[in-house]
Amino acid sequence: MTRSELLIGGTWQAPRSGSGRLTDVVSPFDGRTVGQVPVAGGADVEAAVRSASHGAEIWRRTPAHERSEILLRAAALADERSEQIAQVLSAENGKTLREARAEAGRSGSIIRLAAFEGTQLYGQTLPLDANPGTGLDKVGFTLPQPVGMVVAITPFNYPALLVNHKIAPALAAGNSVILKPASTTPLTALALAECFIDAGLPEGVLSVLTGSGGELGDRLAADERVRKISFTGSTGVGQHLASIAGVKKLSLELGSSAPVVVLPDADLDLAATAVAAGGYTNAGQVCISVQRVIVHESIQGDFLDALRDKVRQHRTGDPEDEATTVGTLITEAEAERVEGSIRQAVSAGARLELGGDRDGAMIEPAILSGVDPAAPIAQDEIFGPAVAVSSAPDVTTAVELANSTDYGLAAGIFTNDVDAGVQYMREVDAGNIHINWTPLWRADLMPYGGLKASGIGKEGVRAAVAEMTESKTIVIHGRPWS
């Protein structure tokens, strides 16, 4: 899939910046070129912003039922093109074809959810007569409206899911959108954008800029005409964008080191099965991937035995092979980084129970035990197929360890003790908490976002639509009739 033009305001246009240079999109599995896209620059950002300013005025004045009809057509196209999108996704991302099909297959349902929520923008009446001195001659209510122009910046790890979770709610709420996808996975974003364009979006409403995240992201974030930034990525980049954004709305879904606690009364087979999935899906490149497991010291050996048996069943290899369960990391450099983190943990005293070998961009699923909870592999986001196991003497200590990092995106606990479960959900500082499952679970309709350094704002279609609207307070002043 090769594109020599940029999608600006719904039309394919030659780049205005530079020499119209194309950049290769390569497979992290075998290094082959799977497509090419143009490199956008400052002049292209300006063209996209001007187009989006025009598109926002058109789209906000489009009735919600008409917006919904267009989004429903886009959802149908996403369903029809699901296999094609999955093939592109797997090729450029290194995700197994099975995982890519599951991800691409959610596109239509996310867009349909957004289409519905965009028709449900209710305001509320205000009881102004409750204000001392105010009579019944005044009527107050709130009136929601689109924020205007939304910039969506998406990462490589879920190039269909996270694109849909940003642009579908933004469009449903009546905003124009400029999408900056990850440089390593732009083809999936373009394939999805075509679904919206082919469904009949008006001119100016959707643009996709491919190229350098540092240059394009900074220009877009700092532009005063942009009213909302929705970003998913590292905490460092999120903090930088917040520092240059100025006065505009921000949704930042950032880093994580997600903990899972396993207590003595837990179903160990369930816990091991869930961790063996939650720690290695998408080669561990998930912000809600299981990174830390805090096991009650009385059952640590039994849990490790169960977990080793489950993780041994994973198979690395060609992402297109149906037998492969763990694909590649996004680049060989990322795999080298994860390999280094594993080696550093072992040097510091952790025990490598399983895996950890690297072959190019691929890492064998790793289990580390005896990990110091203060060690970098527990404190820093590893973003790879490795799970660090530590122990705790009781639930209170386990809660303290779960809260011991700067992050607070998601957490899980395995227990049949209601009291322990309630204590955990009340005292662990994470935006999403799962009882008897790992953090690696998300329904597209639920609010989703983190606490602490894991970000601000919420995604999930209804929450995202709310984040992408503003509210006016309206007061009608009548004359007393008596």
Side-chain angles (χ1 to χ4, degrees):
M1 179 178 176
T2 295
R3 285 287 185 186
S4 59
E5 296 178 310
L6 293 167
L7 183 64
I8 295 183
T11 62
W12 297 100
Q13 302 179 19
R16 292 159 175 79
S17 303
S19 59
R21 179 171 62 90
L22 300 182
T23 185
D24 291 340
V25 180
V26 301
S27 163
F29 173 66
D30 57 16
R32 77 185 188 279
T33 298
V34 298
Q36 292 181 312
V37 293
V39 178
D44 302 304
V45 170
E46 178 62 24
V49 170
R50 286 184 179 179
S51 182
S53 296
H54 172 69
E57 293 302 312
I58 295 173
W59 196 230
R60 69 179 290 179
R61 291 178 171 86
T62 303
H65 71 88
E66 293 183 18
R67 298 200 303 262
S68 176
E69 289 168 2
I70 292 173
L71 262 64
L72 290 175
R73 289 199 293 270
L77 290 172
D79 288 341
E80 291 174 13
R81 301 172 186 179
S82 179
E83 178 62 22
Q84 172 193 340
I85 294 169
Q87 295 283 345
V88 169
L89 195 164
S90 179
E92 69 175 349
N93 174 273
K95 185 175 301 204
T96 68
L97 193 52
R98 181 185 308 173
E99 290 174 332
R101 283 172 174 150
E103 180 181 347
R106 288 165 67 176
S107 298
S109 64
I110 295 171
I111 299 168
R112 276 185 284 273
L113 276 171
F116 171 76
E117 293 296 343
T119 65
Q120 304 298 302
L121 296 178
Y122 294 97
Q124 60 179 339
T125 57
L126 305 174
L128 297 181
D129 58 304
N131 182 65
T134 302
L136 298 175
D137 55 320
K138 303 185 190 320
V139 176
F141 56 92
T142 61
L143 182 66
Q145 69 176 36
V147 296
M149 189 192 315
V150 173
V151 165
I153 304 175
T154 56
F156 68 84
N157 58 327
Y158 279 91
L161 181 74
L162 296 178
V163 163
N164 282 313
H165 266 293
K166 294 184 188 304
I167 66 175
L171 294 173
N175 302 289
S176 64
V177 184
I178 301 173
L179 171 65
K180 167 59 186 79
S183 299
T184 48
T185 56
L187 301 176
T188 304
L190 289 169
L192 285 167
E194 286 185 308
C195 294
F196 290 95
I197 299 304
D198 293 347
L201 277 182
E203 182 180 348
V205 176
L206 178 61
S207 297
V208 182
L209 295 178
T210 53
S212 165
E215 179 181 358
L216 301 179
D218 281 11
R219 285 179 179 270
L220 289 166
D223 197 302
E224 293 181 355
R225 292 166 291 183
V226 174
R227 295 301 305 142
K228 163 79 178 179
I229 298 171
S230 180
F231 169 79
T232 297
S234 71
T235 295
V237 174
Q239 290 171 333
H240 169 69
L241 291 175
S243 73
I244 66 174
V247 181
K248 54 176 63 80
K249 297 186 77 174
L250 298 174
S251 293
L252 305 175
E253 200 269 276
L254 307 176
S256 178
S257 176
V260 168
V261 167
V262 184
L263 297 183
D265 62 330
D267 181 331
L268 288 188
D269 185 70
L270 174 66
T273 298
V275 170
Y280 307 97
T281 293
N282 200 27
Q285 299 170 117
V286 193
C287 47
I288 49 176
S289 177
V290 179
Q291 181 168 332
R292 300 178 287 144
V293 182
I294 303 160
V295 187
H296 192 279
E297 58 190 17
S298 68
I299 59 166
Q300 185 177 16
D302 291 339
F303 174 76
L304 283 170
D305 288 344
L307 183 61
R308 278 192 299 266
D309 288 345
K310 302 294 184 184
V311 175
R312 283 194 184 101
Q313 297 174 25
H314 279 304
R315 294 289 179 269
T316 57
D318 186 343
E320 294 185 3
D321 187 335
E322 294 288 350
T324 300
T325 60
V326 178
T328 70
L329 277 80
I330 190 63
T331 63
E332 187 168 352
E334 281 295 289
E336 290 172 348
R337 178 189 59 79
V338 173
E339 180 187 34
S341 296
I342 294 170
R343 288 180 175 175
Q344 181 186 43
V346 172
S347 298
R351 175 184 172 87
L352 184 59
E353 298 279 346
L354 196 69
D357 294 333
R358 182 178 68 83
D359 180 8
M362 196 169 298
I363 297 275
E364 288 291 329
I367 303 171
L368 296 125
S369 64
V371 173
D372 180 352
I377 202 165
Q379 291 290 310
D380 302 332
E381 184 173 42
I382 189 169
F383 223 60
V387 170
V389 180
S390 306
S391 64
D394 51 55
V395 66
T396 298
T397 304
V399 167
E400 292 172 356
L401 293 178
N403 283 331
S404 67
T405 73
D406 292 335
Y407 301 113
L409 181 56
I413 185 171
F414 287 87
T415 182
N416 289 312
D417 184 340
V418 173
D419 294 340
V422 171
Q423 179 181 352
Y424 195 79
M425 71 175 74
R426 290 287 190 185
E427 297 193 352
V428 171
D429 293 324
N432 305 278
I433 294 177
H434 299 267
I435 311 299
N436 286 324
W437 202 253
T438 75
L440 191 76
W441 194 91
R442 177 180 181 181
D444 294 315
L445 54 78
M446 77 186 207
Y448 175 87
L451 310 181
K452 302 194 292 185
S454 289
I456 54 175
K458 296 290 185 184
E459 286 195 344
V461 175
R462 177 174 293 182
V465 167
E467 296 260 352
M468 293 175 179
T469 55
E470 296 177 312
S471 180
K472 297 175 179 176
T473 296
I474 312 296
V475 180
I476 301 173
H477 297 263
R479 294 183 180 182
W481 56 86
S482 62

